[in-house]
Amino acid sequence: MSSTVGQVIRCRAAVAWEAGKPLVIEQVEVAPPQAMEVRLKILYTALCHTDVYFWEAKGQTPVFPRIFGHEAGGIVESVGEGVTELSPGDHVLPVFTGECGECRHCNSEESNMCDLLRINTDRGVMIGDGKSRFTIKGKPIYHFVGTSTFSEYTVVHVGCVAKINPQAPLDKVCVLSCGVSTGLGAALNVAKPKPGSVVAVFGLGTVGLAAAEGARLSGASRIIGVDLNPSRFELAKKFGVTEFLNPKDHDKPIQEAIAAITDGGVDRSIECTGNISAMISAFECVHDGWGVAVLVGVPNKDDAFKTHPMNVLNERTLKGTFFGNYKPRSDIPAVVEKYMKKELELEKFITHEVSFSEINKAFEYMLAGESLRCIIRMD
């Protein structure tokens, strides 16, 4: 890689030219990293529902042409001025949010919401100089959440790069850079169910199943999966889910159905859909006196959370979480080690694998509801 240091790299990238249209494999130019940036060679990336959501551009500001992708594993190719904690050859996971190490959030043990580097879905340029590092024939191609991993090479702020064990298989641990860590951390770091607890998980996609896995690792005795898609129930058993409820099967609010089978409510609930009704149900289904509900899913911008104040006064707790309360650089390497020690199984999250040239198949699998995570090989 030393021959490319300081040079513009020409490589393949999957470019979204417009909303909802298939990605096109193009030759792009990737500029060298500037101050506090690193250029990465991406070896494996995965498709997350967030990529699909912003590619469809139905509910947010469209930013095109753009290179999506934010779950990935790769190797540092070169570093910019001021970067001391990473070197060429390091194995890393780029992350859509960051850790500057200097702001109040980074200096707090309670928060991971960095003032400088927290997720910004509208920004399509680097934070340092307001320019893109991607071009095609001199015309800029926009970044996505600071990562843009649907490219053989990408440039990322150093604060959004987690250095990991070089022995960790990047085709497996790449899924820890978003969805799996988000759900797992929501359980382990925020809900914190005690051994023997009863936990409800709303939404059994990748994030919800990771939350169920976290509840299982915590020693929960019952894990109730709530989903509108009954085809997900059998798969969810692999992640510790012990019983299933489909709101369509009940003629009363699902929170009442849950309370009826749990002696008044669950100890912990984790909501992973972003549906406002599910959020309210997740809060109202926890037991009074000690129940804790954790919101993970992102709602629509016009949604309003409504519940009777007595639900709060009766000592139920409502929490929110972002990326499972993990600080990317400080905490994600330890999550990788959980996998290396066989404390965490990632293979069951990976349902499909395609080559980079077949990346649009990954979108098809997700849109059809057939996949949890599809690994995209950059070979």
Side-chain angles (χ1 to χ4, degrees):
M1 292 187 207
S2 59
S3 62
T4 57
V5 173
Q7 307 294 315
V8 171
I9 289 179
R10 289 171 178 80
C11 68
R12 294 183 303 160
V15 178
W17 288 100
E18 54 185 306
K21 296 295 178 66
L23 307 189
V24 181
I25 303 294
E26 305 276 13
Q27 283 288 123
V28 300
E29 300 99 29
V30 185
Q34 300 302 301
M36 302 308 291
E37 296 174 359
V38 295
R39 187 161 59 183
L40 309 179
K41 178 179 174 63
I42 299 298
L43 298 181
Y44 299 94
T45 186
L47 180 66
C48 171
H49 188 265
T50 303
D51 295 306
V52 176
Y53 181 75
F54 283 92
W55 165 73
E56 290 178 321
K58 292 178 179 177
Q60 67 291 122
T61 307
V63 181
F64 295 95
R66 199 171 208 181
I67 297 172
F68 286 101
H70 64 282
E71 279 192 2
I75 298 174
V76 175
E77 176 269 337
S78 60
V79 303
E81 179 185 349
V83 176
T84 58
E85 52 273 79
L86 292 170
S87 303
D90 285 344
H91 286 221
V92 296
L93 302 181
V95 182
F96 65 91
T97 186
E99 184 182 352
C100 73
E102 298 176 358
C103 69
R104 288 182 302 166
H105 287 278
C106 288
N107 287 321
S108 166
E109 293 182 358
E110 297 181 42
S111 176
N112 65 339
M113 300 188 70
C114 177
D115 279 331
L116 179 67
L117 298 171
R118 73 175 63 178
I119 187 172
N120 183 323
T121 56
D122 292 336
R123 186 172 59 231
V125 294
M126 296 303 291
I127 202 167
D129 61 4
K131 297 179 181 179
S132 175
R133 301 290 174 260
F134 298 108
T135 54
I136 293 180
K137 298 178 181 177
K139 294 184 178 180
I141 306 296
Y142 294 111
H143 295 249
F144 177 63
V145 296
T147 51
S148 292
T149 61
F150 293 167
S151 175
E152 292 177 316
Y153 287 86
T154 189
V155 177
V156 182
H157 192 284
V158 65
C160 299
V161 180
K163 180 181 176 180
I164 64 167
N165 183 340
Q167 301 301 315
L170 291 172
D171 61 330
K172 304 297 189 297
V173 298
C174 64
V175 299
L176 290 174
S177 56
C178 182
V180 173
S181 293
T182 296
L184 186 73
L188 297 179
N189 300 334
V190 188
K192 298 180 180 177
K194 297 175 182 177
S197 295
V198 179
V199 179
V201 177
F202 287 72
L204 298 176
T206 297
V207 176
L209 292 174
E213 183 78 352
R216 184 186 68 80
L217 293 172
S218 299
S221 62
R222 294 173 68 188
I223 302 173
I224 302 167
V226 182
D227 202 289
L228 295 171
N229 183 353
S231 67
R232 291 179 168 177
F233 292 169
E234 194 63 33
L235 174 65
K237 292 178 183 178
K238 295 181 181 179
F239 299 83
V241 176
T242 57
E243 52 206 283
F244 310 97
L245 293 177
N246 186 337
K248 293 179 181 177
D249 295 338
H250 298 270
D251 56 7
K252 57 186 175 183
I254 194 64
Q255 55 267 46
E256 293 181 17
I258 291 172
I261 63 170
T262 56
D263 192 23
V266 296
D267 302 302
R268 301 289 186 266
S269 72
I270 305 170
E271 191 287 323
C272 303
T273 72
N275 177 281
I276 192 65
S277 295
M279 291 181 169
I280 295 167
S281 296
F283 176 57
E284 294 183 353
C285 81
V286 299
H287 206 289
D288 59 4
W290 62 79
V292 178
V294 177
L295 304 186
V296 181
V298 179
N300 292 325
K301 61 181 179 179
D302 296 326
D303 284 337
F305 187 97
K306 297 178 181 178
T307 191
H308 196 283
M310 285 305 299
N311 289 324
V312 180
L313 290 169
N314 285 338
E315 299 185 2
R316 294 177 179 89
T317 299
L318 180 65
K319 293 185 174 184
T321 182
F322 173 70
F323 192 49
N325 206 228
Y326 286 120
K327 294 178 187 285
R329 292 197 289 176
S330 299
D331 298 334
I332 293 303
V335 183
V336 171
E337 291 307 309
K338 279 183 179 288
Y339 170 77
M340 296 299 286
K341 295 174 184 175
K342 298 189 173 2
E343 297 171 8
L344 176 65
E345 185 182 345
L346 297 178
E347 286 82 358
K348 59 189 176 184
F349 289 97
I350 300 167
T351 54
H352 296 77
E353 186 175 318
V354 298
S355 65
F356 189 40
S357 61
E358 300 174 307
I359 189 170
N360 287 303
K361 282 188 178 180
F363 281 74
E364 292 170 11
Y365 293 142
M366 182 159 284
L367 288 168
E370 297 175 3
S371 67
L372 290 177
R373 281 297 180 266
C374 179
I375 302 297
I376 299 156
R377 303 185 308 273
M378 304 301 284
D379 51 20

